[in-house]
Amino acid sequence: MNVHDSEKLLGVLATLGYQPTEDEGEAHLIMLNTCAVREKAEHKVYSELGRIRKQKGKGTLIGVCGCVAQKEGRRLLERVPFVDFVLGPRSIYSLPQVLKELKKGRRVAKTELNGSCITSLVTPVLRRNPYRAYVTVMEGCDNFCTYCIVPYTRGREVSRPSREIVEEVKRLADKGYREVTLLGQNVNSYGKGLDERIDFPGLLEKVHGVEGLSWIRFITSHPKDFSFRLVKTIASLPKVCEYIHLPAQAGSNRILERMGRKYTREEYLEKVAMIREYIPSAAITSDFIVGFPGERDDDFQLTLDLLEEVRYQGVFAFRYSVRPSTKAALWEDNVPLSVKRERLSHLLKLQEDITHEVSASYKGKTLEVLFHQWKDGKLEGRSRDNKIVTALGPKKHLGTITQVKIEHTKMYELIGTIIEGGDAP
Ligand code: SAH
Ligand code: SF4
């Protein structure tokens, strides 16, 4: 989501005549797009600001956008005197106005949060890759998981009308894009509050109808809203890829309840079983938090058991980090840092073994791959189930769905050879 926000910021800046540069020293404007989901990410912003301070003498404008900007607002301007402006994630399109105000010598903090969807068809977006594109389907989040700052920094959940999404995807397909990833904090609750009667499976069906588009992905799914209808829809639509990111966060019902996730371990496992039954080739990945307040050894053991039981293709795991405004911030952060560290490395070690085994099982298989990058004779792409696949081959395979036979496997990379003549239309 942050990557796509940066593409939107670059798009707005392009309409104002700015061009991106790799050389920070020659920049007239430097913006940091920030993340506030964990404290560490927030600290990084201040160290990064310290680093770019030296560019300031030459009159360069410095702005902070994203969730730290939203969270801190004017306070950030007070705390860091050389920052010229602060722009929240729902204020991206106020950037031209902000730059105008700066010219009058005023420092600006723009952090309006709610209201309707800001992404629209007139939204300028400067996408970095010509074959795969992110498309916003909703903004904000209404779930208020007790540990999470996102509802406070990205505001209330609002869906984008389906005809706009479909129109954007059509335009992308006409430009040669082959894959779209539909983006939202909880795509499974798509459609709430819209005038039209539509849900996420309905949206997938509409996007599926776009000619020229090959693959559709989506992130993120909240398990509580992951329905049977969605599973059947994914299974029945050939363009929808067999990759499902289904964050569990914890394996113990006691902790899930305290996290406010609104599902039990058993319900989660039922969803996994349903996916495996109807979409047998689906890759499932997850997010986990370790050391949530009150997490005991037996709770953590249940998380490890869940990993063993599901055998994810991969997981992202984090040490719990207290976030201001959240409900959990009122509880004692009572799992010592050393225990959090130990649990995280234990979890990652276990998952490493599983990922290794899962990756190794690809040896000898033939996969459909969309190559989106080529460098020095090496193609890189993703399979339908989102594995990174590389192969030696000519540039002509870029942007085509190519058949690749997997010869070697590494933990996060499958290395294959191209089956010539095996390209899909
Ligand atoms: N909407 C998505 C992702 C939200 S943030 C979802 O519900 O899955 C991405 C991940 O950051 C979360 O899945 C969670 O694992 C992690 N995260 C969020 N808040 C956190 C916190 N306070 N401490 C540690 N990890 C956190
Ligand atoms: Fe945060 Fe929960 Fe919303 Fe995901 S669903 S963004 S974890 S509040």
Side-chain angles (χ1 to χ4, degrees), residues 6-244:
S6 292
E7 292 179 333
K8 291 177 183 175
L9 285 161
L10 284 168
V12 180
L13 288 168
T15 64
L16 300 173
Y18 284 90
Q19 280 173 9
T21 171
E22 295 299 319
D23 177 4
E24 216 171 72
E26 67 164 26
H28 294 110
L29 171 68
I30 301 176
M31 293 179 70
L32 293 187
N33 191 11
T34 62
C35 173
V37 83
R38 282 168 292 276
E39 201 182 3
K40 203 166 139 194
E42 209 177 327
H43 285 163
K44 259 200 229 160
V45 176
Y46 293 99
S47 54
E48 191 61 13
L49 278 172
R51 196 187 61 75
I52 60 177
R53 180 185 196 157
K54 61 178 183 299
Q55 310 295 348
K56 188 65 194 176
K58 292 170 267 165
T60 311
L61 293 174
I62 295 182
V64 178
C65 50
C67 288
V68 175
Q70 184 65 42
K71 174 176 168 281
E72 294 299 308
R74 282 224 150 255
R75 257 193 320 221
L76 204 145
L77 293 182
E78 282 155 26
R79 183 169 167 185
V80 193
F82 60 88
V83 167
D84 298 289
F85 66 98
V86 157
L87 193 72
R90 291 282 264 265
S91 306
I92 289 176
Y93 297 109
S94 304
L95 182 57
Q97 197 190 327
V98 167
L99 292 175
K100 256 189 213 151
E101 283 183 51
L102 287 176
K103 283 212 176 107
K104 294 182 200 152
R106 263 180 250 145
R107 296 165 80 211
V108 189
K110 201 108 194 130
T111 51
E112 284 86 29
L113 244 200
N114 295 314
S116 53
C117 209
I118 59 156
T119 310
S120 77
L121 277 177
V122 290
T123 302
V125 183
L126 200 72
R127 290 185 165 87
R128 287 296 180 97
N129 190 277
Y131 311 111
R132 34 192 338 231
Y134 289 121
V135 174
T136 299
V137 303
M138 62 204 295
E139 289 160 5
C141 182
D142 281 352
N143 284 312
F144 291 95
C145 301
T146 56
Y147 51 82
C148 184
I149 200 169
V150 171
Y152 305 94
T153 56
R154 287 191 176 265
R156 290 293 59 71
E157 182 181 301
V158 39
S159 293
R160 191 177 170 200
S162 67
R163 71 185 142 68
E164 275 206 9
I165 296 168
V166 171
E167 182 56 34
E168 183 174 355
V169 175
K170 266 191 195 144
R171 291 181 191 182
L172 289 167
D174 288 346
K175 278 194 203 150
Y177 283 87
R178 304 302 303 271
E179 177 192 300
V180 292
T181 299
L182 307 179
L183 283 183
Q185 292 294 348
N186 175 13
V187 289
N188 309 133
S189 70
Y190 172 81
K192 261 196 309 182
L194 283 176
D195 292 337
E196 51 186 323
R197 264 178 62 88
I198 188 160
D199 58 2
F200 188 60
L203 179 68
L204 281 179
E205 277 162 9
K206 285 193 174 194
V207 174
H208 195 268
V210 175
E211 264 176 51
L213 184 70
S214 302
W215 287 359
I216 304 166
R217 302 184 189 277
F218 55 89
I219 39 174
T220 291
S221 294
H222 193 302
K224 81 176 160 62
D225 299 313
F226 201 91
S227 65
F228 181 46
R229 179 169 141 72
L230 178 58
V231 174
K232 279 194 306 185
T233 307
I234 300 169
S236 69
L237 300 176
K239 290 181 188 172
V240 179
C241 292
E242 296 78 15
Y243 168 67
I244 296 160

Side-chain angles (χ1 to χ4, degrees), residues 1 35-39 140-141 143 145-150 184-186 219-223 245-249 259 261 286-290 292 316-323 326 328:
M1 200 161 287
C35 173
V37 83
R38 282 168 292 276
E39 201 182 3
C141 182
N143 284 312
C145 301
T146 56
Y147 51 82
C148 184
I149 200 169
V150 171
Q185 292 294 348
N186 175 13
I219 39 174
T220 291
S221 294
H222 193 302
H245 186 57
L246 196 66
Q249 311 296 359
M259 286 178 161
R261 291 291 287 180
S286 183
D287 292 350
F288 285 96
I289 296 174
V290 299
F292 188 72
F316 298 97
F318 316 98
R319 290 196 304 260
Y320 169 69
S321 162
V322 183
R323 301 288 58 214
T326 62

